[in-house]
Amino acid sequence: MNGGVKYSGPLSNETLQVAKNELREDDTTREQALQQLRDWILKNPRIISCRTDDNFLLRFLRFKKFSLPMAQEAMERYLLLRQTIALAFNNLDHQLPRMEYLINNGYLFATPGRDIYGRRWIVARPGVFDPHKFINADMCRIHGIVYETLMEDEENQVRGFVHFADGAGVSFPYLTLFTPKEAVRIVKNGERTIPMRHKEVHAINVPSSLKYVLDWGMTLISDKIKKRVKIYTSIDEAIKSIDTSMLPKEYGGTMPMAEMIELFKKELAATRSTLLSHDDMKVRLELFSEGAKVGAVSALKNNSCSPYKNDILSGSFRKLEVD
């Protein structure tokens, strides 16, 4: 994209205003950041191939409130994560039989429409996931499919997401899916690397026997996200505090869950080829530290590869709190 060309993306004026207020995004900042991020990708010896279209780059810039160094680091971690855990993050195909089963049974899906703040709601029903039939890679892959599909919509990149989880049916065997170290990496990468804006998290029916696991998990997330998490004993209690119109009929809404899932499957089909093309993105593993390659959230080996340390974006936005 040439400098000075006015943004011609799909966002409405209202959403562009939200982006300006919350993310410091305007025409000038956007154009400069996109060009500099593209230049950085081309010059970065660690990156072999990567998408450079506006949609893909903007999700990282918006995720990090247009702090260029932070967006660069998130992108490297994202690409590295996809490649080092390829079994879970490659071949994000919703038509795979195991993925079809989880989707059809409502393990994870986005409900149609948007709430009054323009946000999409993601429903998670972990009790659908049978730990005796599925493996942890299946869980990572289905989350990758759903999240990547939703991030293709620029409206979602700006407006963010509300998560609603029903813990009914979750039992002790779920704890065997991931080791404690793996769980830490997943939680931290989920917050710091996957380019999504998590605005609210609501959970119901958390098994009392696993409450200590939830308490431990809460210690892994930032205080910012922690304040956005609300736990309810039942849907009846949750109804008093949340917009049930965004939920399936089974949880107080109006549209049956099966209809919502069928609508979401159309979204999955529309982005399928794009998600599969992500397998072409590659990095040079030998140029990353060993700690980074095993999915550590610690800093990459060094940050000196960025040629934009002193540009206006770095100087102005680097200290912004990431939302």
Side-chain angles (χ1 to χ4, degrees):
M1 177 178 292
N2 295 325
V5 177
K6 185 175 177 59
Y7 173 73
S8 58
L11 298 183
S12 65
N13 289 335
E14 180 185 359
T15 301
L16 287 172
Q17 188 61 47
V18 172
K20 182 176 182 179
N21 293 341
E22 297 186 8
L23 308 177
R24 305 284 183 91
E25 176 179 348
D26 58 29
D27 289 344
T28 301
T29 300
R30 185 189 311 108
E31 296 305 324
Q32 289 182 6
L34 284 170
Q35 188 58 56
Q36 290 172 333
L37 195 52
R38 287 194 182 93
D39 291 344
W40 171 80
I41 290 171
L42 290 173
K43 297 175 182 178
N44 190 338
R46 296 177 179 177
I47 298 177
I48 298 174
S49 59
C50 177
R51 278 178 62 180
T52 58
D53 56 284
D54 286 3
N55 182 304
F56 186 74
L57 301 185
L58 282 170
R59 68 188 64 180
F60 293 96
L61 290 166
R62 288 165 173 156
F63 177 52
K64 296 300 184 182
K65 288 189 175 179
F66 283 80
S67 165
L68 191 62
M70 294 174 72
Q72 291 167 344
E73 185 177 10
M75 181 177 288
E76 281 194 332
R77 288 178 175 172
Y78 167 88
L79 295 172
L80 183 62
L81 187 68
R82 286 185 52 85
Q83 192 163 327
T84 54
I85 317 180
L87 180 63
F89 293 99
N90 281 8
N91 196 22
L92 297 183
D93 188 354
H94 74 283
Q95 293 183 2
L96 293 171
R98 297 167 79 85
M99 300 299 101
E100 281 191 323
Y101 176 89
L102 291 172
I103 293 165
N104 288 335
N105 285 275
Y107 167 73
L108 190 70
F109 62 96
T111 64
R114 299 181 183 278
D115 65 15
I116 60 173
Y117 301 106
R119 306 172 301 192
R120 291 294 300 273
W121 283 48
I122 302 173
V123 173
R125 301 169 65 239
V128 171
F129 193 97
D130 186 341
H132 302 292
K133 295 181 180 179
F134 298 94
I135 59 175
N136 54 14
D138 294 325
M139 183 175 285
C140 290
R141 178 170 281 121
I142 189 65
H143 281 265
I145 290 170
V146 171
Y147 297 158
E148 292 280 359
T149 292
L150 293 169
M151 289 309 298
E152 287 298 320
D153 187 335
E154 283 195 43
E155 189 85 13
N156 296 335
Q157 295 175 13
V158 174
R159 300 284 189 163
F161 302 92
V162 175
H163 301 267
F164 176 85
D166 179 2
V170 176
S171 57
F172 188 79
Y174 284 78
L175 301 184
T176 64
L177 287 170
F178 299 96
T179 67
K181 181 181 292 187
E182 288 171 337
V184 169
R185 285 164 50 191
I186 288 171
V187 172
K188 289 186 176 292
N189 274 305
E191 179 179 350
R192 303 178 186 179
T193 303
I194 307 302
M196 299 176 68
R197 303 188 70 204
H198 308 290
K199 307 302 290 186
E200 296 179 13
V201 180
H202 303 277
I204 64 171
N205 299 325
V206 178
S208 58
S209 60
L210 298 181
K211 187 178 182 301
Y212 73 96
V213 178
L214 179 62
D215 292 340
W216 175 71
M218 292 289 283
T219 67
L220 304 178
I221 59 179
S222 67
D223 289 339
K224 177 194 66 181
I225 297 297
K226 196 177 300 182
K227 293 176 182 177
R228 301 178 183 181
V229 177
K230 305 295 181 184
I231 310 296
Y232 310 93
T233 56
S234 65
I235 186 61
D236 291 333
E237 181 185 357
I239 285 174
K240 301 174 184 177
S241 304
I242 64 177
D243 179 9
T244 56
S245 68
M246 294 301 301
L247 295 175
K249 186 176 182 179
E250 291 82 350
Y251 294 99
T254 57
M255 183 182 293
M257 187 186 309
E259 290 184 24
M260 288 187 167
I261 292 171
E262 288 304 311
L263 287 173
F264 186 60
K265 285 165 67 175
K266 293 180 179 180
E267 292 186 54
L268 296 173
T271 60
R272 178 174 179 264
S273 60
T274 299
L275 265 59
L276 291 176
S277 73
H278 286 180
D279 292 357
D280 296 331
M281 295 192 291
K282 303 292 182 184
V283 296
R284 292 184 172 84
L285 295 178
E286 68 274 13
L287 298 185
F288 289 87
S289 68
E290 288 304 314
K293 282 188 282 189
V294 297
V297 183
S298 57
L300 295 172
K301 183 161 54 177
N302 64 72
N303 291 319
S304 60
C305 63
S306 172
Y308 304 113
K309 283 296 173 186
N310 298 315
D311 64 16
I312 184 172
L313 290 167
S314 301
S316 298
F317 302 133
R318 190 172 188 180
K319 292 183 179 180
L320 283 175
E321 179 183 355
V322 179
D323 189 7

